[in-house]
Amino acid sequence: MPDPTGVAGRLPSVFMTPGTSSFTDFLSVAAPDLLPGARGPLPAPVTDAAHGTTIVAVTFPGGVIMAGDRRATQGHMIAQRDVEKVHHADEFSCVGYAGTAGVGAELIRLFQVELEHYEKIEGSTLSLDAKANRLAFMVKGNLGMAMQGLAVIPLFAGFDTETGEGRIFSYDIAAAKSEERTYESIGSGSVFARGSLKKRFRANHTQDDAVRISVEALYDAADDDSATGGPDLIRKLYPIVASVTADGYRRLTDDEVGPVVDSIIADRTQNSGG
Amino acid sequence: MTMPFGYASPEQQVRDKSEYARKGIARGRSVVVLTYVDGILFVAENPSTTLHKISEMYDRIGFAAVGKYNEFENLRTAGIRIMDTRGYMYDRRDVTSRALANAYAQTLGAIFTESIKPYEVEIVVAEVGLTAADDQIFRLTYDGSIADERGFIAIGGQSEQVLTSLREHHTEGQPLATALRVAVDALTAGAPPGAQNGERTLTAGNLEVAMLDRKRSRRLFKRIVGSQLDGLLEETAASAS
């Protein structure tokens, strides 16, 4: 760790200086090379990095569901069939990404440490809005790389412990944050997923309904977008589905998602939707 | 050759600094760290609900300190920064209590040697293992001395009295409520200067309690507060000394 002011035999002064509760800000002093975006000048635009595609989030009374397909593509090739694009952010929130897989995974990893670091230093958690804002700063930090072709945007959702409801925040490439009260989808299949959600969303549906329409929206996205993967029944690879409620973050098991996928496929076998 | 005015030998300086640090630490109340069947329990007598003596460090690592608040708070923050940086740079599994304890030992040692005023702190770094045999408890003192302890440790003001009680009542594999009672009884035994034994009672209101529970997932540190703490204390209330 570069710290010219460190005294031999002691913790480097960068650790001992009282200051910020933000891990990102601390890292920008202690080890700026570890920050996303700190890659120095990039050569010509890059386009052949792996890309993650569709993420959906749906609110229901008392919480929110986030789901993502498992496909990463590199041009027309399927780069990975079991990629995870929906992640635990902290006890009451989750985050997913669409876009360049490497950049997205790094963004999420730093975001997770950012929230946990604040919590440990301060002894209290950030508000849901503050978490959403911290994520916006990270997206903003990636603008230069986005312009070079390494674009990624996150989708953030959580349970607001103050209001007792599930909330969704989406971002554009320049970090414009907007809150969605009902549902949102990001990624190349999002156009189709959003259309599906629009027809199926009900204000007072249950958590199970929200899981069902999320998985179905991913099915519709996979149906029409080549970069979005459908459920892989041969390999038993189902969408990643996470719920965030008053009980906290929980990733649904394959034993829970599998039957939902089976029932959707049974329904579509009867009526393919054209 | 004449001695410079106010010369003190290195031995004298070390003795003076040690005495100064010990006096500072002895003014505060004790903190107990002990193993129980599912992990490690931290118990502090602490009337403040916001200024903590016990803290989460990393997934399996906890921290407890006594002495001067601003000094151990500085070390606590530095520790969290080191741990989070290591975990982010390598992997969460590569973050160990031994590395943290070594960093603290070097820092405290350097401060003790180089500064006129040593840190008036005593620190415990504890890591819960996959099994009880892998649990690690490190104790660090104001001069950078480091020791690894088995089973239990008390730091702070009346730690000798507290330790005597712990030696008598702590055993491996105690349930959580029993271990908490052992810790509370031990803290009660360590009467602060001027107070008579048994004059004060430790209740949920003036206890800070946390645990590293190996049955949890990912982040194992958990504060025990409110009704959970009341419940645990009630479970063994009959056996309170």
Side-chain angles (χ1 to χ4, degrees), chain A residues 130-153:
Chain A
K131 292 174 201 172
N133 283 334
R134 287 311 301 168
L135 193 52
F137 281 114
M138 292 183 185
V139 175
K140 187 176 138 199
N142 193 54
L143 185 60
M145 282 207 294
M147 293 310 197
Q148 292 282 320
L150 296 176
V152 66
I153 53 165

Side-chain angles (χ1 to χ4, degrees), chain A residues 1 7 9-11 14-17 19-20 23 26-27 34 88 106 109-110 113 116-117 119-121, chain B residues 56-58 74 76-78 80-82 84-85 88-89 92 103 106-107 110-111 114-115 119 219:
Chain A
M1 203 139 307
V7 179
R10 280 198 202 190
L11 284 172
V14 69
F15 291 114
M16 296 291 282
T17 312
T20 175
F23 182 68
F26 168 70
L27 211 55
L34 290 178
H88 166 273
E106 191 184 28
R109 225 160 83 79
L110 182 64
V113 184
E116 185 185 325
H117 189 75
E119 194 183 322
K120 288 191 288 195
I121 300 264
Chain B
E56 174 184 7
M57 276 283 137
Y58 208 70
N74 196 3
R76 185 187 74 92
T77 310
I80 292 171
R81 287 170 171 177
I82 294 171
D84 277 346
T85 307
Y88 182 65
M89 194 190 289
R92 297 192 83 89
Q106 289 179 6
T107 300
I111 290 168
E114 291 160 16
S115 308
Y119 269 20
R219 289 167 70 184

Side-chain angles (χ1 to χ4, degrees), chain B residues 51-70:
Chain B
L51 298 174
H52 296 307
K53 294 180 172 184
I54 296 167
S55 168
E56 174 184 7
M57 276 283 137
Y58 208 70
D59 292 354
R60 318 185 67 89
I61 305 171
F63 170 97
V66 293
K68 208 154 180 283
Y69 181 79
N70 72 313

